Amino acid sequence: MEGSRTKGRTTIEVGADGVALITIINPPVNSLSFDVLYSLKDSYEQALRRDDVKAIVITGAKGKFSGGFDISSFGGVQGGKVNEPRPGFISVEILSDTVEAAKKPSVAAIDGLALGGGLEVAMACHARISTPTAQLGLPELQLGIIPGFGGTQRLPRLVGISKALEMMLTSKPVKGEEAHALGLVDAVVSPNELVSTARQWALDILECRRPWIASLYKTGKLDSLGEAREIFKFARAQAQKRAPNLTHPIVCIDVVEHGIVSGPRNGLYKELESFQELVRSDTCKSLIHIFFAQRGTTKVPGITDLGLVPRRVKKVAVLGGGLMGSGIATALVLSNYPVILKEVNNQFLQAGIGRVKANLQSRVKKGRMTQEKFEKTMSLLKGALDYESFKDVDLVIEAVIENVSLKQQIFSDLEKYCPPHCILASNTSTIDLNLIGKQTKSQDRIIGAHFFSPAHVMPLLEIVRTKQTSPQVIVDLLDVGKKIRKTPVVVGNCTGFAVNRMFFPYTQAALLLVEHGADPYQIDKVITKFGMPMGPFRLVDLVGFGVAIATGTQFVVNFPERTYKSMLIPLMQEDKRAGETTRKGFYLYDDRRKAKPDPELRKYIEKARNISGAAIDPRLAKLPEKDIVEMIFFPVVNEACRVFAEGIAVKAADLDISSLMGMGFPPYRGGIMFWADSLGSKYINSRLEEWSKTYGEFFKPCAFLAERAAKDAPLSSPVDQAKSRL
């Protein structure tokens, strides 16, 4: 499925062999906009009317069959802004009653992509020919919907119920060769033979040399009813376990089952009815928002609209071979960047190279990399103990410990040893970049490249600009970010940048609630149920108490008026409880790092309560789940509002992506700002006001939130950037 803004169409050409070639044209991926679908119907009907046409081949322009339904049309459908076709027009009238029921055979010639609606069009044809590398799949569930052009009915009849459910529920495509083995395509040929083979195949069907198959009524791959019911039961249990907050995977299973039990035509109508409901659901709206927000992070007003072309980065140096440095080096070599890894002594250097090696070997073990590719990738990494080999590097990423004077010394050295065009980046997560570059004359090429741990796995890259960072350097780093398969988000320079600053109140709110009488384990349970990978206390155990205290100190220094000063974590650390690494933190851990509650935690909470003077509020011990979620996340929303109002983030949607990819906020809730807007600024402001009267300044709504609430305006509508910091 893809997004597109151009007006699409189909063309029809009739060859001397009597085969009409219908080509879908809607760059870049030939998405199926309503224009394309209406045009497909017209071209098809023309081919059926014409006496000189014996058979039909459908293909896509420029080596791509179709990336699926045009996602940008969903917004119009949800808001009632577009005239969508009458229900059943596409799945029943066009694909079933025109294409599949035609008196002339049709063959889909598939190259590149046949995803979502693209594959559904292909499955309505009487045969499918594919190239070996073509990708075929139904990824609609990623957007909170189900296939809506007959895919829930045809795919099980072509590949069997189990495989069809797996393909739809995981949204994973299959390549041409596998599609052939499954029975999804009838033959695999090279791209230059694709259309000619499809033409001949269509004529062979006409001459009864090959079978004329209507996929919707194919039964050979279907299990017996008893076996089918067991498959559906198992699939429902798995879907419920994997995503307990989502209903659309269950709806998908129900629709497939309905077609098996009541017949495919009834299944089509059930699919139609369910699709119409799901496309208007909050989950679908959230996931479509995320789809476009993720693609929009690389558009930065005043930077990416200046016509600057990214300079080619041919060689990168990484300073520091610890967990972060080795992870960054891994991400770079995986995308074919030659990397110099520098350390202070040979022991540290060998350990750093060893970590990169282990990261890559883990891919080999999982079957995601061949031994040959492993050796080739490792050969891109060179170690260094000095700056001698930095003469021709284009980008340096510093990833040493968080020590200001050390970083200042490093950046002074880099200015001396690196070429004048070289980008000087720091992976700092807490230190002001202006402070890091204070002793240099190169402020225009100093930038933050803040990766999240583990750096070769986590998808987010915060690109931190100062007021001096040149637009060219930002454009260059955005390009590197995309090439190493990260989602880059450009943010301003402040304590914690966007993610850490937004989410610092996440732990703070949890500590405040516990010291006032809430149960920490209940908080973690509710927050996990909401959709976070883990609750705030389990998270502190994972990152370690040292990191939590260091981050907290930065926040206290910079924002003392809105920090809840709890002694709970320092008290526990005094007793050598530091989280997972010491097997004791807020939880106890066994050899396999499995967490279980610790009854001893109560005494530390009581000590911390005595120090802070917090009074137990009996209401907090019996807080409803909704209130726990709001008391933990509304302070996060409040801080996100400040980040947005100050211009640290240019777009609210960038904060949504940051919250998802940096902290694991559930995508089906649309990101932190989108979720907040679904509740309303007025409601959030009133709740925070109410809590601030009882529990103090920590909950006090910021001016931006109060201002938006007074107008009952969305939090995500644009800020006047002239008034913001950047």
Side-chain angles (χ1 to χ4, degrees), residues 35-340:
D35 296 324
V36 169
L37 291 162
Y38 287 128
S39 175
L40 177 64
K41 185 174 191 287
D42 292 344
S43 294
Y44 218 88
E45 285 173 343
Q46 188 194 139
L48 294 177
R49 278 196 313 271
R50 285 174 61 164
D51 293 337
D52 59 339
V53 173
K54 299 180 196 172
I56 300 159
V57 167
I58 303 179
T59 194
K62 298 193 175 168
K64 292 183 178 76
F65 186 78
S66 172
F69 185 66
D70 180 3
I71 297 171
S72 57
S73 300
F74 281 134
V77 169
Q78 289 162 345
K81 293 172 196 157
V82 297
N83 295 323
E84 58 176 315
R86 60 187 171 275
F89 178 71
I90 298 162
S91 66
V92 180
E93 289 183 40
I94 299 181
L95 296 181
S96 293
D97 296 350
T98 305
V99 176
E100 196 167 48
K103 297 286 186 279
K104 294 177 183 179
S106 60
V107 175
I110 300 166
D111 195 7
L113 303 168
L115 300 175
L119 181 58
E120 289 174 293
V121 168
M123 289 192 293
C125 295
H126 303 111
R128 284 148 299 286
I129 314 295
S130 159
T131 58
T133 55
Q135 294 195 64
L136 299 90
L138 296 177
E140 285 87 347
L141 271 80
Q142 285 181 331
L143 295 176
I145 51 172
I146 61 171
F149 297 169
T152 61
Q153 304 307 304
R154 289 190 180 87
L155 190 62
R157 288 167 171 81
L158 286 166
V159 303
I161 297 169
S162 288
K163 186 64 188 178
L165 287 174
E166 181 199 313
M167 284 176 69
M168 288 186 276
L169 294 172
T170 62
S171 292
K172 282 185 182 162
V174 294
K175 287 200 172 163
E177 295 285 7
E178 189 186 346
H180 184 226
L182 290 169
L184 183 52
V185 301
D186 300 278
V188 175
V189 297
S190 66
N192 57 350
E193 296 173 292
L194 180 63
V195 172
S196 58
T197 306
R199 295 180 92 105
Q200 188 55 52
W201 202 286
L203 292 170
D204 286 350
I205 292 173
L206 184 71
E207 301 294 334
C208 301
R209 287 194 291 270
R210 293 195 185 276
W212 189 320
I213 295 167
S215 309
L216 193 62
Y217 300 101
K218 196 169 184 275
T219 55
K221 289 281 180 82
L222 295 181
D223 305 81
S224 71
L225 214 48
E227 287 169 333
R229 287 198 193 282
E230 285 303 309
I231 293 168
F232 292 127
K233 185 180 167 187
F234 178 74
R236 277 191 191 92
Q238 290 292 100
Q240 195 64 46
K241 191 178 167 188
R242 197 180 296 123
N245 293 339
L246 299 178
T247 56
H248 66 283
I250 303 295
V251 172
C252 181
I253 298 164
D254 291 347
V255 170
V256 174
E257 183 172 32
H258 189 85
I260 301 298
V261 174
S262 307
R265 191 81 178 179
N266 283 333
L268 282 181
Y269 287 110
K270 178 75 173 169
E271 176 190 89
L272 188 62
E273 179 193 313
S274 300
F275 180 88
Q276 293 293 333
E277 281 174 27
L278 290 171
V279 83
R280 288 165 175 80
S281 68
D282 289 341
T283 298
C284 178
K285 288 173 187 170
S286 297
L287 291 169
I288 285 171
H289 165 72
I290 291 301
F291 179 89
F292 287 112
Q294 191 176 342
R295 282 148 185 79
T297 63
T298 51
K299 296 182 179 82
V300 186
I303 301 292
T304 56
D305 48 10
L306 301 177
L308 295 167
V309 177
R311 293 174 296 182
R312 192 164 161 234
V313 171
K314 296 190 281 289
K315 188 175 173 185
V316 185
V318 176
L319 269 69
L323 282 175
M324 281 309 293
S326 58
I328 294 166
T330 305
L332 288 159
V333 293
L334 278 169
S335 294
N336 295 315
Y337 281 102
V339 174
I340 297 165

Side-chain angles (χ1 to χ4, degrees), residues 655-677:
L655 294 178
D656 288 331
I657 293 300
S658 298
S659 69
L660 250 76
M661 295 188 169
M663 285 301 293
F665 194 82
Y668 52 83
R669 298 193 190 277
I672 193 73
M673 296 293 269
F674 189 90
W675 174 72
D677 275 341

